[in-house]
C-alpha cells in the first residue's frame, strides 16, 4: 500500500460505555453529535462511527434515534456515517440491528460487523456465529459494505469463512481494535501481524484504546493504513487532559498523520478507497 495514499480518519464519537461522569464533552443528543461531527469533518475526519443514546445517556440502538442523528449530521456536513451494529454488551441481535432499518435518504454509508466473541473488560462482547451471519445478511440486504471489527486474530479467519459462505465479499475493510481488556493488546507487533494477515487487496484501519489511541495513528500512518480516534475509545488528549470534544482528538490525529507525510482523505475519496459504491 502506498504511503502516499490518502489516510481515512474515522471518529468514533459516542460509543456505548463512556459516560458524562467520565467526560462532560461526550455528545449525546442528535444536535450535539452533529455539531461535533461537523467540527470533526473540518479537522480532517472523512467518516464518523456512531452509536446513539437515550435522553438520559443510556446506550441505545433505536432506529429513530439513529435517524435523527444521521439527519442532523447530514444537514451540517458531508462526513460519511458508519453505524454501530455492536451496540452495548448484552443487546440482542434484533436490538443491535436498529440502525439497519434506515433506508432511502436516511440510509447510513457503512455499518460495523464484529466477527467474533471477545472478553470486553470484565464483560463479554458476545458474537456467536449465527448472530454474525444474521447481522451480515442485514448489512448486505441494505446494500452496505461492512467494516469488519476484529478484536483478535481469529476474527480475521472468520471473515474468510463469511466470504466462503457468501455473507460478505473480499477484499473488505478491516478495523483492528487493539487494547480492549482481555483481548489483543495495542502493540506494534499485533498491528503488524493483523495487517499481514488480512486477505490480499483489503484495506485496514486501527482503533487503539485509551492512551494508545493517538500514538497508534502514527504507526498506522507510517504503515500506509487508516486510523480511528474518538471518545468511544479514549477521552484524553494527553495524560490527565480531557479532549474537549471529538474534534480535538481528530485535530491531533490529523497533525500526527500529516507529520508522517499522509494527506487526509475527503469523504468522497474515502468512499472510493473503501469501495463503498
Ligand atoms: N460497544 C461494544 C460492546 C461496534 O460499534 O460495532 C461494541 C462496539 C462495536 O462498540
Ligand atoms: Zn462502536
Amino acid at each position: 500500500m502506498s504511503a502516499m495514499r490518502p489516510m481515512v480518519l474515522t471518529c468514533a464519537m459516542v460509543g456505548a460505555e463512556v459516560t458524562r461522569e467520565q467526560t462532560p464533552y461526550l455528545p449525546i443528543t442528535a444536535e450535539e453529535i452533529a455539531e461535533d461531527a461537523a467540527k470533526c469533518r473540518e479537522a480532517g475526519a472523512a467518516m464518523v462511527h456512531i452509536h446513539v443514546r437515550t435522553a438520559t445517556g443510556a446506550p441505545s440502538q433505536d432506529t429513530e434515534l439513529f435517524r435523527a442523528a444521521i439527519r442532523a449530521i447530514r444537514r451540517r456536513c458531508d462526513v460519511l456515517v458508519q453505524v454501530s451494529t455492536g451496540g452495548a454488551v448484552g443487546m440482542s441481535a434484533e436490538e443491535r440491528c436498529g440502525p439497519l432499518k434506515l433506508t432511502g435518504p436516511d440510509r447510513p454509508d457503512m455499518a460495523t460487523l464484529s466477527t467474533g466473541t471477545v472478553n470486553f473488560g470484565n464483560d463479554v462482547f458476545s458474537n456467536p456465529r449465527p448472530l454474525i451471519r444474521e447481522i451480515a445478511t442485514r448489512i448486505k440486504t441494505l446494500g452496505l459494505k461492512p467494516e469488519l471489527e476484529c478484536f483478535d486474530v481469529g476474527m480475521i479467519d472468520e471473515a474468510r469463512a463469511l466470504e466462503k459462505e457468501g455473507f460478505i465479499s473480499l477484499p473488505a475493510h478491516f478495523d483492528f481494535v487493539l487494547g480492549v481488556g482481555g483481548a489483543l493488546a495495542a502493540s506494534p507487533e499485533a498491528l503488524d501481524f493483523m495487517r499481514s494477515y488480512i486477505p490480499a487487496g483489503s484495506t485496514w484501519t486501527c482503533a487503539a484504546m485509551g492512551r494508545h489511541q493517538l500514538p497508534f495513528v502514527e504507526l498506522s500512518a507510517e504503515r500506509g493504513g487508516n486510523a480511528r480516534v474518538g471518545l468511544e475509545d479514549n477521552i484524553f488528549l494527553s495524560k490527565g487532559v480531557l479532549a474537549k470534544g471529538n474534534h480535538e482528538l481528530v485535530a491531533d490525529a490529523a497533525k500526527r498523520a500529516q507529520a508522517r507525510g499522509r494527506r487526509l482523505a475527503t469523504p468522497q475519496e474515502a468512499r472510493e478507497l473503501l469501495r463503498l459504491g
Side-chain angles (χ1 to χ4, degrees), residues 33-109:
I33 294 171
E35 200 177 304
D36 200 4
K39 290 183 192 163
C40 288
R41 169 76 183 96
E42 264 175 50
M47 180 152 68
V48 292
H49 163 83
I50 59 166
H51 293 238
V52 292
R53 305 291 182 101
T54 65
T56 61
S60 169
Q61 289 289 104
D62 179 75
T63 307
E64 295 312 313
L65 289 174
F66 270 101
R67 191 193 305 279
I70 289 174
R71 284 187 178 177
I73 291 169
R74 289 183 174 157
R75 270 198 297 274
R76 281 188 172 73
C77 69
D78 63 351
V79 76
L80 299 176
V81 181
Q82 178 195 82
V83 292
S84 169
T85 68
V89 162
M91 286 180 176
S92 68
E94 184 57 34
E95 204 176 355
R96 284 167 59 173
C97 287
L100 301 181
K101 293 183 183 141
L102 293 169
T103 56
D106 297 327
R107 190 181 73 148
D109 297 293

Side-chain angles (χ1 to χ4, degrees), residues 170-251:
L170 294 177
H173 181 57
F174 288 79
D175 179 22
F176 310 141
V177 186
L178 303 182
V180 168
L184 189 62
S187 69
E189 292 83 1
L191 174 63
D192 285 335
F193 181 75
M194 296 291 265
R195 71 192 183 93
S196 75
Y197 197 55
I198 53 176
S202 293
T203 52
W204 61 272
T205 189
C206 181
M209 300 298 112
R211 67 188 167 83
H212 300 290
Q213 180 172 87
L214 294 167
F216 267 67
V217 172
E218 296 169 10
L219 297 187
S220 296
E222 287 163 0
R223 288 158 172 74
N226 306 289
R228 164 172 138 172
V229 296
L231 294 173
E232 173 166 345
D233 305 331
N234 164 47
I235 61 175
F236 294 107
L237 197 56
S238 56
K239 194 173 163 99
V241 180
L242 288 172
K244 294 191 179 65
N246 282 286
H247 56 282
E248 286 201 354
L249 293 168
V250 173

Side-chain angles (χ1 to χ4, degrees), residues 12-29 32-33 36 53 57 230-232 235 243-246:
M13 300 184 64
V14 185
E17 292 81 26
V18 176
T19 66
R20 273 276 169 87
E21 284 67 47
Q22 292 170 308
T23 174
Y25 303 108
L26 180 74
I28 285 179
T29 67
E32 288 167 353
I33 294 171
D36 200 4
R53 305 291 182 101
L231 294 173
E232 173 166 345
I235 61 175
K244 294 191 179 65
N246 282 286

